[in-house]
Amino acid sequence: MLRVRRAATWAALLLMAGACLLASAEPVEVPGYNCPAACKPPNCKCASHDIPGGLDPANTPQFVVLTNDDAITVTTMPVILDITSKAYNPQGCEIPATWFVSQNYTDYHLVQEVYMKNHEIATHTLYHVPNPDLFQIVGMKLWLNQTAHVPLEKIRGFRAPFLMHNPDQRKILQENGFTYDSSIPEPFPTATSPDGSDRLWPYTMDYGLPQRCDLGTGPCSVNESLPGLWEFPMWDVQNDEGVVLTNMDPQGDLYEAYKREFDRNYNGNRAPVGVYIHAAWLMDPTRAAAMQQFINYALSFENTWFVTMSEAIDWIKAPVPAVKYAAQRQAQGCDPPTDMWFPSGSYCQGIQCVNGNFSDSACQCVCIAEFIPNQPGWCADPETGACTVPKVWSSADKSFSCPDHAQREPVAQASPSPATEDPSVANCGHPLQDFVGLGISGTQDNSALYSQALRAVDGLCDTCASATDPTGNYFTVVLPNQLSVTSIQLTAGENTTGAFIFVGDSSDNNGMANPVCAQNLDLPAKQAVSIECSGVGRYVTLATPKNLTICDIYVQGYETAPTASPSPSPSPVTATPTTEGAAPTNPLLDQLLSTTSDDTESGGVQQEPQYSRLGMEGATPVEDNTDELTQQLVSQYEQEIAVINERAQHGKKRGL
């Protein structure tokens, strides 16, 4: 079986192609954490407490990230917006927040309103469950996109409910287009954050997670390899003696708590300051006032910016001095985003329709039985648009109708689209491809690349995924289960020569460490080609040393239970070369064709894993009390939700 021995070289070339030439920061010194000098932004960043780009602290922007977790409701949204709408960044725009949203209790119209104010929408699972699976994590991303219409490439971040993180979650994030996770607490002093003025900066997980996860709420390892996925640490709030108070919703004098954290960072290595809260906690007017006081204090310092987590990562990818950053933000302006889709054609602020439902297409409340003459119901107030005017009975007409001042025309209903014979069948003439992860080569972040890759599996042959890295390109689809592949249907957008297909269960090198089941393929443009392939695994990768435009991919086969011993190596399928009798001339193709399946880079020696969860000094792991902790956290969350709902009910009674 042909195996790619030097695929790591290809991956390194891909990585270096977009690397910036700024001074590199020294990686943190943690046992087992080996991050090479080749790891450079924008695609890779070693864990470090040095300022990105080698900038001097005085010339570095001081970022503050304000985040809110859980549902966006009529009760919680005003709590946060009342804070952010009263403070302004140096260029004159209202400060933003990052909202980690769960679907339970969330009003998707309010999600749109938050997004249109230039805040960031991130995910917090569908139902706020501990240790979420693929359905909870990716399901929330799809809900935000398909229901609230947040652009898929803008849904970049994730935070685990109760901060209960694990490697499986991070793998799901990396394979499904997320840019970053923000679930791991970060105290000081540790190897990653030596002291309060020298804190860990956000980093990518290409070479593992060196943080002290044994001090937090989940396991992590220096052996996890998740290329391109960032960790945005949750820096703990600690007192003057360094005692950890919390990392979310601090008790006591929160102004002094956050002021202390800000002063440490501003006078130190300028790592971002994290303000992590729940709206339910901030409903206390005293806390809200203290939060406003802290925000005003921080903004009084030169070069301070309140940013979303994505904005902070974007700067880390291409760090510039504070003066240049201010000029960039000034040029960017304060206009609302223009990439959100609305059924009505334009943004319309949602109205709380207590006695009706809000219509996306008409931008108004559709009141209960408003236009049904033989039923009582409600009518819209002409000033507020809310369904607060009751219908009246006419003895003369023997019917219910709206008062004269509340009369209006019925909302036009859109005609339903004709149903297809089988909604599971794609336009390309086969069932829709089932997958749990995608990957494609490129220099953008995970979310942008994932949105690009979706075009090859959306069932539409006129939408294509394109990759144009000069050093070579790949497309990877991760199947839900191990599959014994029989054939792969491909439709390329342009003539493609010298392509390879890899199939197996390894995600290393974007699936190119797996056995080759087809090599030296010629794919004609806009023509479906079925490739016989007898590989076994979950990862199917199409790779080429040239540009790659793939419009459709469909993998056929049957599920097979994983076995302890490896399956017999299939013989790779080789297509006829385009130049008759000529040897390949592309150096990368020469490299691919010269490899064998028996060689390994490590000499066949399997190293013992080094788990930072066990303590980087080799300490014995603490007793597992996960179940007890989960129950405590769930109970606390339910109490917070009860407070939110109670206040919402009081608001309705007062007519709010």
Side-chain angles (χ1 to χ4, degrees):
M1 177 177 61
L2 189 65
R3 183 178 296 273
V4 178
R5 180 178 56 190
R6 302 177 186 173
T9 304
W10 187 358
L13 290 172
L14 284 169
L15 196 65
M16 295 172 63
C20 64
L21 300 179
L22 294 166
S24 60
E26 290 295 326
V28 295
E29 295 184 3
V30 172
Y33 182 68
N34 300 303
C35 189
C39 174
K40 294 180 181 295
N43 294 333
C44 183
K45 183 185 180 300
C46 296
S48 175
H49 39 82
D50 292 343
I51 297 176
L55 294 173
D56 183 80
N59 296 324
T60 303
Q62 176 61 67
F63 296 127
V64 183
V65 289
L66 171 63
T67 73
N68 174 62
D69 288 14
D70 301 339
I72 301 181
T73 70
V74 294
T75 307
T76 61
M77 185 185 74
V79 174
I80 304 301
L81 293 186
D82 189 53
I83 296 292
T84 60
S85 63
K86 294 177 181 177
Y88 300 87
N89 272 320
Q91 91 280 41
C93 303
E94 293 181 6
I95 66 171
T98 298
W99 304 62
F100 290 97
V101 187
S102 53
Q103 189 265 336
N104 272 3
Y105 310 106
T106 289
D107 184 333
Y108 73 91
H109 294 108
L110 302 183
V111 174
Q112 294 177 340
E113 185 172 340
V114 167
Y115 181 82
M116 292 300 289
K117 290 182 177 293
N118 286 311
H119 293 237
E120 179 180 11
I121 302 298
T123 67
H124 199 44
T125 73
L126 280 169
Y127 306 135
H128 202 281
V129 296
N131 300 314
D133 57 9
L134 176 78
F135 170 75
Q136 288 289 331
I137 296 172
V138 178
M140 187 58 198
K141 183 174 186 176
L142 296 177
W143 185 89
L144 287 168
N145 173 248
Q146 298 175 8
T147 304
H149 308 308
V150 179
L152 198 63
E153 62 272 16
K154 293 294 185 68
I155 308 170
R156 308 171 74 187
F158 169 81
R159 176 168 290 161
F162 317 113
L163 306 185
M164 299 182 70
H165 59 87
N166 60 58
D168 290 340
Q169 290 175 15
R170 291 185 284 272
K171 188 65 174 174
I172 292 170
L173 297 176
Q174 197 264 349
E175 291 181 341
N176 287 278
F178 287 83
T179 299
Y180 68 89
D181 168 73
S182 182
S183 306
I184 302 180
E186 175 67 11
F188 74 84
T190 60
T192 49
S193 292
D195 59 57
S197 60
D198 203 15
R199 306 297 292 266
L200 176 67
W201 279 78
Y203 63 96
T204 64
M205 307 179 205
D206 296 58
Y207 298 95
L209 288 84
Q211 292 179 257
R212 283 293 303 269
C213 291
D214 58 309
L215 303 176
T217 50
C220 70
S221 168
V222 292
N223 292 321
E224 290 184 55
S225 178
L226 301 165
L229 183 65
W230 290 72
E231 180 59 36
F232 206 110
M234 296 190 67
W235 301 281
D236 284 329
V237 177
Q238 299 175 236
N239 65 16
D240 291 329
E241 289 72 39
V243 176
V244 174
L245 304 178
T246 184
N247 54 28
M248 300 190 76
D249 306 336
Q251 302 300 312
D253 191 334
L254 71 91
Y255 168 71
E256 288 296 333
Y258 285 126
K259 177 180 179 295
R260 182 170 51 243
E261 297 300 323
F262 178 87
D263 290 343
R264 285 168 173 164
N265 289 26
Y266 190 85
N267 297 313
N269 71 338
R270 295 286 174 98
V273 177
V275 180
Y276 310 126
I277 60 174
H278 293 83
W281 170 83
L282 202 59
M283 287 177 179
D284 185 322
T286 303
R287 290 174 179 161
M291 179 63 71
Q292 200 78 62
Q293 183 183 8
F294 162 71
I295 292 173
N296 293 338
Y297 172 80
L299 289 172
S300 69
F301 284 78
E302 187 178 18
N303 300 327
T304 297
W305 297 81
F306 277 73
V307 297
T308 66
M309 288 190 164
S310 285
E311 288 172 338
I313 290 174
D314 288 343
W315 181 87
I316 298 171
K317 289 180 177 180
V320 295
V323 173
K324 186 173 182 179
Y325 181 74
Q328 291 176 346
R329 295 301 301 265
Q330 188 68 42
Q332 181 179 332
C334 308
D335 292 336
T338 58
D339 54 0
M340 178 172 274
W341 175 79
F342 302 103
S344 63
S346 61
Y347 170 64
C348 52
Q349 185 170 336
I351 303 171
Q352 187 178 5
C353 301
V354 178
N355 301 308
N357 294 297
F358 189 79
S359 168
D360 281 330
S361 57
C363 283
Q364 65 183 40
C365 287
V366 178
C367 303
I368 297 174
E370 181 177 0
F371 302 104
I372 303 177
N374 62 346
Q375 291 184 18
W378 296 88
C379 311
D381 185 309
E383 294 184 2
T384 66
C387 299
T388 55
V389 179
K391 293 174 69 175
V392 295
W393 170 256
S394 170
S395 299
D397 298 334
K398 306 296 183 183
S399 65
F400 290 94
S401 63
C402 292
D404 292 341
H405 74 282
Q407 292 279 351
R408 62 177 182 173
E409 294 296 321
V411 176
Q413 298 295 325
S415 301
S417 56
T420 58
E421 294 183 2
D422 185 354
S424 68
V425 175
N427 291 5
C428 294
H430 57 69
L432 287 169
Q433 179 67 64
D434 194 11
F435 65 92
V436 296
L438 297 173
I440 191 170
S441 54
T443 58
Q444 302 94 333
D445 59 47
N446 279 1
S447 56
L449 291 174
Y450 187 79
S451 300
Q452 174 72 216
L454 276 173
R455 300 176 182 178
V457 292
D458 60 2
L460 303 173
C461 283
D462 56 351
T463 59
C464 305
S466 178
T468 58
D469 194 294
T471 61
N473 295 279
Y474 66 87
F475 178 95
T476 301
V477 57
V478 186
L479 305 173
N481 302 292
Q482 188 185 68
L483 201 69
S484 181
V485 177
T486 56
S487 66
I488 301 173
Q489 179 176 308
L490 299 169
T491 302
E494 57 186 34
N495 290 328
T496 302
T497 59
F500 282 67
I501 297 178
F502 305 83
V503 177
D505 286 317
S506 173
S507 61
D508 292 348
N509 296 324
N510 302 294
M512 289 182 286
N514 289 314
V516 175
C517 73
Q519 63 182 11
N520 202 19
L521 299 174
D522 295 338
L523 305 175
K526 299 294 184 179
Q527 181 179 334
V529 176
S530 182
I531 308 297
E532 293 184 2
C533 176
S534 56
V536 177
R538 296 178 59 230
Y539 291 82
V540 177
T541 299
L542 173 68
T544 172
K546 301 179 181 179
N547 288 350
L548 177 64
T549 303
I550 182 72
C551 304
D552 180 58
I553 181 170
Y554 180 64
V555 182
Q556 292 179 291
Y558 55 89
E559 291 187 17
T560 177
T563 57
S565 58
S567 301
S569 303
S571 300
V573 175
T574 304
T576 305
T578 53
T579 304
E580 187 174 352
T585 58
N586 187 289
L588 178 59
L589 188 57
D590 288 340
Q591 177 180 307
L592 289 169
L593 291 174
S594 66
T595 58
T596 61
S597 61
D598 298 328
D599 296 330
T600 61
E601 295 294 327
S602 62
V605 179
Q606 185 175 0
Q607 298 180 351
E608 287 295 323
Q610 298 174 347
Y611 295 104
S612 61
R613 192 200 187 300
L614 303 181
M616 287 174 281
E617 291 78 29
T620 303
V622 297
E623 182 181 353
D624 186 1
N625 61 347
T626 304
D627 292 340
E628 180 180 352
L629 176 62
T630 300
Q631 293 175 2
Q632 293 175 354
L633 293 172
V634 170
S635 176
Q636 179 182 351
Y637 172 72
E638 290 175 347
Q639 292 174 17
E640 292 173 350
I641 290 297
V643 171
I644 293 172
N645 291 338
E646 181 181 0
R647 299 201 179 201
Q649 291 299 323
H650 287 323
K652 288 182 180 181
K653 291 178 181 179
R654 295 196 304 268
L656 298 179

